[in-house]
Amino acid sequence: MTAIYVASSELPTPFGEFKLHGFEDSETGQEHVAITLGDVTSEDAVLCRVHSECLTGDALFSMRCDCGAQLQTALKRVSEEGRGIILYLRQEGRGIGLINKVRAYELQDQGADTVEANERLGFDADLRDYSICKNMFTYFGIGKVRLMTNNPVKVTALTKLGIEIVGREPLETGHNDHNARYLATKAGKLGHLFGKRE
């Protein structure tokens, strides 16, 4: 995957005055964005979130997951720090797409957990690809990040791309009765780390 920079604009939000930068995958035409605040080009590690699109959580306020809460918390933390970047990748449903995600939700309504639902649909538990991040980070001159994530797979994937992770900062937010099993499955089957800082 190769990210081609397209354009930038101002992005005023309730959390702060950010900049929005558009990128396009030269191979697939898929569109992704980076959201920045302050000077992210210095040699110091920049506060960072790599966030995969979740329409239901990010835009429809679903309580089935913690995605929307994580995105808002990441924006708040970047704003409070005065410097940071969020890569927003268009890979819905851990890479299976929006309609398949709805199908997976239907299976979850019938008793499957989030991993079992994906597998019953013929998918791996997580199909996300983070390789596009390399070009996006390179565009901004970023080589070192403090990564806001609970997912060790994401840390490994970015490290393999040559991004230096100088620290992992947990994003534990948005927990509720509707997503308790979902979060337990992420910890038990996908290895997500809760209550740990590295």
Side-chain angles (χ1 to χ4, degrees), residues 26-155:
S26 62
E27 298 175 17
T28 66
Q30 182 69 277
E31 299 164 338
H32 309 278
V33 295
I35 303 162
T36 64
L37 183 69
D39 180 12
V40 297
T41 62
S42 71
E43 292 185 5
D44 294 333
V46 63
L47 185 62
C48 172
R49 166 78 178 159
V50 175
H51 188 90
S52 295
E53 180 180 42
C54 175
L55 177 73
T56 49
D58 298 341
L60 301 179
F61 315 108
S62 171
M63 297 173 69
R64 298 183 71 130
C65 65
D66 56 345
C67 304
Q70 286 185 320
L71 178 60
Q72 291 186 36
T73 299
L75 287 164
K76 289 176 185 175
R77 286 189 188 173
V78 168
S79 181
E80 289 167 359
E81 184 143 323
R83 175 176 177 264
I85 184 168
I86 296 171
L87 302 188
Y88 193 91
L89 307 182
R90 307 292 301 281
Q91 42 188 3
E92 182 77 45
R94 293 201 301 273
I96 68 174
L98 180 59
I99 298 303
N100 282 322
K101 178 179 175 178
V102 176
R103 292 189 177 108
Y105 275 174
E106 183 177 50
L107 291 173
Q108 290 173 42
D109 290 343
Q110 297 167 7
D113 66 33
T114 183
V115 170
E116 292 166 348
N118 277 25
E119 291 174 345
R120 288 184 194 176
L121 291 173
F123 301 110
D124 288 338
D126 193 338
L127 293 174
R128 287 175 294 182
D129 185 344
Y130 299 103
S131 58
I132 197 84
C133 297
K134 176 64 174 177
N135 293 116
M136 297 172 79
F137 282 132
T138 298
Y139 173 81
F140 294 104
I142 294 172
K144 295 188 290 187
V145 301
R146 291 160 39 221
L147 189 65
M148 293 182 280
T149 187
N150 303 321
N151 186 357
V153 172
K154 194 179 294 183
V155 173

